[in-house]
Amino acid sequence: MNTFETIRFAIRGVSANKLRSALTVLGMMIGVAAVIILVAVGNGSAKSVQSQISALGTTTLTVSSGSGLFGGTDTSSTTKTQDTSLTLDVASALEDPQSAPHVKSVSPVASGSSQNATYAGSSHSISQFVGTFPSYLSAESYSLASGTGFTRQDVNQGRKVAVLGKTVADDLFGSVNAVNKQITVNGNLFTVVGVLKSKDSSGFMDQNDVAIAPITAVQESITGYGALSQIIVEATDENTVTDAQNEVTAILNNKLKVSDPTDEPFSVRTASQLLSTTQSTSDTFTVLLGAVAGISLLVGGIGITNIMLVSVTERTREIGIRKALGAPKRVVLTQFLVEATVLSLLGGLLGVVVGVVGSQFTIVGIRPVLAGYSIFLAVGVSLVIGLFFGSYPASRAASLRPIEALRYE
Amino acid sequence: MSEHLHPVLDVRKLVKTYGQGEATVHALRGASLTVERGDYVAIMGSSGSGKSTLMNILGCLDIPTSGRYLLDGVDVSRLSDNQLALVRNRRIGFVFQSFNLIPRTSALANVELPLAYAGLKARERRRRARAALDLVGLAQRAGHEPNQLSGGQQQRVAVARALVTAPALVLADEPTGNLDTQSTADVLSVLDRLNRSGRTIVLITHEPDVAAHTKRLIRLVDGAIVEDVRQRPINDHERAVLR
């Protein structure tokens, strides 16, 4: 009785009850496919966070008031007599080649959210109306699709010119060229000088739903002359980000007269630090998805165990006949183990096919990224489950005396 | 030739009990029996007389509580599990009352099964299985599955399966118990032919007609042999006549 023979017997056993075998394979297939697809979705969302970080630019620093962006600073309890808010004066202090040699550019930001803009009867609510310096565009990796940006001179003169994001331009102007047209924002006329190229916005906010204008014009017409929302600082290159962060912190501490360095009224964060919270959220997401998928794989495995138990119990008599005809225990055992393996392997392979095909589609806005380890893990687990749970009923049946197995009803 | 020195079957003081305590059932109470090569033995007895238990022990399907069983001079109780499988495969052909064919498997594949366990190549296996089916007159039904065959045909497939390995000993537990007259005659004629070709046959039966075919008649009552009659000599190759 060679191995090939045994495998042939097992396949005959599997195909003897086609519907039951098909359902078992289906259960296994769903489990394996779920693991592959869900891990791919989690993986995909992690990848999109990473691409967001690189889209933000790896050389930018964000200075904002409050000791932490996500820290939840309790500003009401800190009774500070002196003004620690970020102002244009503070921003210009950062542009100091002596004490901050690693700072390439400084862009103070005053922004108003949900500003209603109209042009010739069409209107659009711009989610971020940003008032800043011209350097903001390169710091935030925006580039122009048409027209020009505004200049430092425009800032100094407070001219009402604006660069529109793609979403805003499409909504207000459609196919018409937006450059040199005038739009009305909050009762003020802004002349469009340029339109931005579409920026990858896989994040949680549409980065194309913006308008960027000189900070002086925005403060005058929209936000008022209060504190800045934030200051975007660009370091000279990727390797000097930390140096620039230290320099900026030192200047701000000096300028705002901070006595206790552990309780700064501002925070300086790099792009990756800003997104670390998002990153950890997406990691949790992946783990959760993996756990759900693992459960469905386990259920598939229990299905195989169940089928093997039923199959062996139902065929105890057949095992008795085989033993009466001189089948050694080893051969009977191998036959049932191969049956279990064929079922789980078939389910596993079909699951891989379904999983790989399913991962090609965009699921809830996330483009799944296949993880090689999940394929091996899912198939491996399905195989181990098949072997492990198939071996118990099989060895129980193979150990019976022939007459006991034959009498079994 | 050592195997001619030993009887095919040599059973001494065989005891088999089931259950324990007050519920103990004594299926066999010290049955002793020797069967020589080429004999054709019928075992009769009422239900519960222990004849099936005896047959199962002779077929190495069950083990006795006490007593010795020598098959071709070899003490079966000393054999390992794998050696027992080998004995069942090579030395003994077993025919069951309820046929015990493997369901959803063709007649040919059923007959091939013992040869597969013996390790024969597929081609040789098929040739011998076809020859065995031909011998029982079912060559035309080789591709049919058990549920497509009549009871008599199924039993003849089972007989073909029992003789395909050319065992010295064929054991049949009420082979005609579930069959009509015609099928009974078919199965018996196959067994008669087997015996004429030198095989030792032991069968259990309720029917005197069937018992009359054989050369020796043994009666069991309450797990003990009460009668042992030689009806014809072992080397008598005349065809028995149905009364």
Side-chain angles (χ1 to χ4, degrees):
Chain A
M1 195 72 183
N2 58 31
T3 324
F4 175 72
E5 245 358 281
T6 314
I7 292 173
R8 220 166 55 97
F9 273 12
I11 289 172
R12 196 180 288 166
V14 167
S15 57
N17 199 330
K18 291 191 178 60
L19 180 65
R20 192 179 62 194
S21 300
L23 287 174
T24 314
V25 167
L26 185 72
M28 211 64 217
M29 185 188 85
I30 290 172
V32 170
V35 167
I36 292 174
I37 291 179
L38 292 187
V39 169
V41 167
N43 214 14
S45 81
K47 284 266 159 59
S48 90
V49 169
Q50 279 163 22
S51 72
Q52 242 180 299
I53 295 174
S54 53
L56 260 184
T58 47
T59 57
T60 52
L61 295 169
T62 307
V63 181
S64 48
S65 43
S67 59
L69 193 61
F70 302 97
T73 352
D74 197 349
T75 41
S76 62
S77 67
T78 40
T79 44
K80 293 228 167 77
T81 48
Q82 96 196 73
D83 185 17
T84 59
S85 59
L86 300 172
T87 58
L88 272 176
D89 189 33
V90 172
S92 59
L94 295 176
E95 286 184 309
D96 183 351
Q98 296 320 125
S99 50
H102 296 108
V103 171
K104 187 178 161 194
S105 73
V106 176
S107 318
V109 174
S111 66
S113 55
S114 300
Q115 296 297 316
N116 204 49
T118 55
Y119 169 76
S122 57
S123 78
H124 175 82
S125 176
I126 304 170
S127 61
Q128 282 288 95
F129 200 101
V130 178
T132 184
F133 285 1
S135 55
Y136 180 82
L137 288 185
S138 66
E140 290 283 284
S141 339
Y142 280 110
S143 52
L144 287 158
S146 63
T148 58
F150 54 89
T151 61
R152 196 65 179 248
Q153 204 183 347
D154 292 332
V155 175
N156 292 339
Q157 296 176 357
R159 289 174 61 186
K160 293 198 174 63
V161 292
V163 177
L164 300 184
K166 192 173 187 311
T167 308
V168 181
D170 286 352
D171 218 23
L172 285 178
F173 297 96
S175 54
V176 180
N177 186 8
V179 177
N180 289 329
K181 304 283 190 312
Q182 287 194 313
I183 59 170
T184 313
V185 182
N186 217 9
N188 298 279
L189 279 175
F190 278 83
T191 307
V192 178
V193 290
V195 175
L196 296 170
K197 271 189 190 154
S198 176
K199 195 174 166 185
D200 182 27
S201 61
S202 45
F204 306 99
M205 216 160 54
D206 186 359
Q207 298 194 58
N208 295 312
D209 193 5
V210 291
I212 301 166
I215 189 165
T216 43
V218 172
Q219 284 186 323
E220 183 199 330
S221 57
I222 295 166
T223 61
Y225 295 94
L228 298 172
S229 317
Q230 51 187 199
I231 302 170
I232 304 294
V233 175
E234 197 179 1
T236 46
D237 64 69
E238 288 172 28
N239 303 322
T240 58
V241 173
T242 321
D243 291 335
Q245 190 175 15
N246 292 336
E247 290 159 11
V248 167
T249 310
I251 294 172
L252 288 175
N253 277 338
N254 185 31
K255 187 83 183 168
L256 301 174
K257 299 188 177 57
V258 174
S259 50
D260 182 7
T262 58
D263 184 27
E264 294 162 344
F266 57 88
S267 69
V268 182
R269 286 167 182 263
T270 63
S272 55
Q273 284 169 335
L274 265 176
L275 280 161
S276 63
T277 315
T278 327
Q279 176 89 59
S280 75
T281 308
S282 103
D283 283 349
T284 314
F285 187 51
T286 309
V287 169
L288 254 169
L289 286 177
V292 170
I295 289 171
S296 74
L297 187 62
L298 191 68
V299 170
I302 291 171
I304 287 214
T305 315
N306 193 17
I307 290 303
M308 287 316 293
L309 260 171
V310 169
S311 166
V312 170
T313 312
E314 179 186 282
R315 287 157 69 193
T316 305
R317 206 178 151 77
E318 179 190 323
I319 291 169
I321 299 171
R322 289 180 185 276
K323 292 202 79 174
L325 295 178
K329 180 179 171 180
R330 179 180 48 81
V331 171
V332 175
L333 194 61
T334 317
Q335 182 190 333
F336 281 90
L337 281 186
V338 173
E339 276 187 31
T341 312
V342 164
L343 284 179
S344 52
L345 203 61
L346 202 64
L349 291 181
L350 284 176
V352 168
V353 171
V354 171
V356 168
V357 170
S359 301
Q360 306 306 312
F361 300 99
T362 304
I363 299 161
V364 288
I366 294 164
R367 185 152 184 81
V369 177
L370 271 181
Y373 73 88
S374 70
I375 295 178
F376 290 105
L377 189 77
V379 173
V381 166
S382 72
L383 205 60
V384 167
I385 287 175
L387 276 178
F388 185 76
F389 289 110
S391 65
Y392 164 67
S395 80
R396 200 183 56 176
S399 310
L400 286 176
R401 235 180 285 156
I403 196 67
E404 288 169 341
L406 277 171
R407 285 212 190 101
Y408 191 89
E409 287 298 339
Chain B
M1 295 292 278
S2 64
E3 61 180 60
H4 284 290
L5 299 175
H6 304 287
V8 179
L9 294 175
D10 187 354
V11 172
R12 291 173 208 168
K13 293 188 179 136
L14 223 49
V15 173
K16 178 74 182 177
T17 57
Y18 296 103
Q20 286 180 337
E22 297 203 357
T24 306
V25 175
H26 296 272
L28 285 177
R29 303 167 190 261
S32 296
L33 170 73
T34 51
V35 176
E36 297 297 333
R37 191 160 305 276
D39 209 347
Y40 194 174
V41 184
I43 299 175
M44 293 187 83
S46 60
S47 180
S49 60
K51 51 190 193 314
S52 279
T53 303
L54 178 63
M55 201 59 133
N56 291 335
I57 291 171
L58 294 182
C60 297
L61 303 179
D62 207 351
I63 48 171
T65 310
S66 69
R68 259 157 66 89
Y69 170 28
L70 304 179
L71 178 67
D72 277 337
V74 178
D75 189 348
V76 169
S77 65
R78 296 199 182 154
L79 297 180
S80 72
D81 211 42
N82 273 339
Q83 286 171 316
L84 275 178
L86 212 63
V87 164
R88 287 194 287 263
N89 186 248
R90 305 281 166 88
R91 302 264 177 114
I92 302 170
F94 209 106
V95 180
F96 300 90
Q97 181 180 1
S98 51
F99 323 139
N100 277 344
L101 298 179
I102 299 206
R104 294 185 289 268
T105 308
S106 73
L108 188 68
N110 259 293
V111 178
E112 276 185 33
L113 205 56
L115 299 175
Y117 290 131
L120 257 71
K121 288 267 191 307
R123 182 191 290 269
E124 174 67 5
R125 224 159 59 200
R126 189 139 311 147
R127 193 186 64 74
R128 285 175 65 171
R130 281 195 189 282
L133 278 175
D134 200 32
L135 199 69
V136 297
L138 285 176
Q140 304 305 312
R141 303 271 174 169
H144 289 54
E145 294 183 0
N147 57 5
Q148 298 169 314
L149 297 171
S150 73
Q153 288 169 335
Q154 286 189 54
Q155 192 60 299
R156 275 146 69 196
V157 172
V159 172
R161 187 177 64 182
L163 61 85
V164 74
T165 51
L169 177 64
V170 174
L171 301 173
D173 187 353
E174 298 196 44
T176 60
N178 287 348
L179 302 181
D180 59 73
T181 321
Q182 183 54 48
S183 301
T184 299
D186 287 345
V187 169
L188 283 181
S189 74
V190 172
L191 291 178
D192 289 350
R193 246 184 297 156
L194 276 179
N195 181 242
R196 279 203 298 280
S197 68
R199 307 274 158 74
T200 311
I201 297 178
V202 179
L203 62 81
I204 290 180
T205 185
H206 278 303
E207 301 152 76
D209 287 0
V210 174
H213 263 256
T214 60
K215 297 171 179 172
R216 183 179 171 192
L217 177 62
I218 292 171
R219 272 181 206 283
L220 271 177
V221 172
D222 289 342
I225 294 171
V226 294
E227 194 184 332
D228 189 344
V229 184
R230 174 143 307 280
Q231 307 187 113
R232 282 183 289 132
I234 291 177
N235 54 9
D236 177 13
H237 291 316
E238 290 299 306
R239 193 186 175 89
V241 189
L242 274 169
R243 274 186 292 185

